[in-house]
Amino acid sequence: MPLTKSALITRIASRQQLLTEKDVELAVKALLDQMVDALAAGQRVEIRGFGSFIVKTRKAKIGR
């Protein structure tokens, strides 16, 4: 089962006693927005210990 954004927010909020779920939601959305903006600008996003993201352009394939 994939981890959805809402499930991620709930998991993080359950581990944080000082932050509300709304605060965690705003932080996760801000992080994802920054990642999307960087990828759209052609930059590479790397989160140490988690993974790296890059947009790759591939030539079109012929479908069946």
Side-chain angles (χ1 to χ4, degrees), residues 5-56:
K5 183 168 64 171
S6 60
L8 176 64
I9 291 168
T10 303
R11 278 190 189 183
I12 294 171
S14 70
R15 295 179 184 188
Q16 301 298 316
Q17 287 135 16
L18 299 176
L19 298 173
T20 65
E21 190 164 328
K22 187 67 177 174
D23 292 336
V24 173
E25 180 181 358
L26 290 172
V28 169
K29 284 184 178 183
L31 174 67
L32 293 176
D33 287 344
Q34 290 297 313
M35 290 175 65
V36 168
D37 291 345
L39 290 170
Q43 298 173 333
R44 181 173 184 256
V45 176
E46 181 178 342
I47 302 173
R48 302 278 172 150
F50 181 72
S52 60
F53 304 89
I54 189 166
V55 176
K56 289 189 177 182

